[in-house]
Amino acid sequence: MPHFAPVRVRGGRRALHRLVAHRRRALAAGLAVTAAALVAAGPHPGAGGQDARRARGHPVADPVGERHGTRLVAAPVRIADAGTVRLLRPGDLVDVVATGEGGAGDASVIARGVRVTKVPEPEADPAAGGALVVVSVPRATAHRLVGAGTTERLAVTLC
C-alpha cells in the first residue's frame, strides 16, 4: 500500500467557529419562522366555534373544570315566611333551616352558605303559604332540600 500525505481540509476550523459564533442568530431566526407558522395556522376570527373567541398567538388552555361531585344545580325552595323572602336578592348567601311542622321542634340546617340565584314574584294566592326562592346548591343538597320541604317548614338566615 502506498504512503499518502495527511489530508487537510482548508477552512474547516474556521467554518466550525463561524457556525458556533452565529448559532444564536440562526436559532432566533428559526424560532421566529416557527412562531409565524403557528400563528398563521391557528384559529381565525369568524371561523366559528370556541376557538374563535380565543386570542390568536396565545397559548390554548381550557379552564379547569369542576369535579362532577361539586356541580351546582338550581333548586327551588318554598320558604314558610313570605316576608323573609322579600328581603332576599339574587347573589345573597343564606342558610336554609328546617323546623318541625308545628315549629316547636329542633331546627336543623339543611344547606349552609348557598347562593340565591332568583327570587320569583310572590304569588297572589295567600293560600299557597310562603314564598319561593331559587338557590344554587350541589345535587345531593338539592335532594335533601326537596325531602325536607315536603315534611318540614323551611326558613332562611342571611349569611
Side-chain angles (χ1 to χ4, degrees), residues 6 17 24 34 42 56 63-64 92 105 107 109 122 127 135 137 140-141 154:
H17 179 65
R24 286 185 182 163
T34 303
R56 291 182 64 204
V64 178
D92 288 345
V109 178
V135 294
V137 293
T141 305
L154 298 179

Side-chain angles (χ1 to χ4, degrees), residues 57-156:
H58 289 253
V60 177
D62 292 326
V64 178
E66 296 178 357
R67 284 187 255 152
H68 293 290
T70 59
R71 283 210 179 133
L72 300 178
V73 297
V77 178
R78 182 158 300 279
I79 304 300
D81 183 15
T84 305
V85 174
R86 284 195 300 263
L87 298 174
L88 300 177
R89 300 284 177 257
D92 288 345
L93 293 177
V94 297
D95 290 344
V96 180
V97 181
T99 61
E101 193 60 43
D106 289 333
S108 62
V109 178
I110 304 296
R112 290 186 190 279
V114 297
R115 187 163 305 277
V116 174
T117 57
K118 187 174 182 182
V119 181
E121 291 296 321
E123 297 176 9
D125 182 21
L132 195 64
V133 63
V134 180
V135 294
S136 180
V137 293
R139 189 176 299 271
T141 305
H143 295 165
R144 287 196 309 268
L145 284 170
V146 169
T150 59
T151 60
E152 300 176 281
R153 294 179 54 144
L154 298 179
V156 292

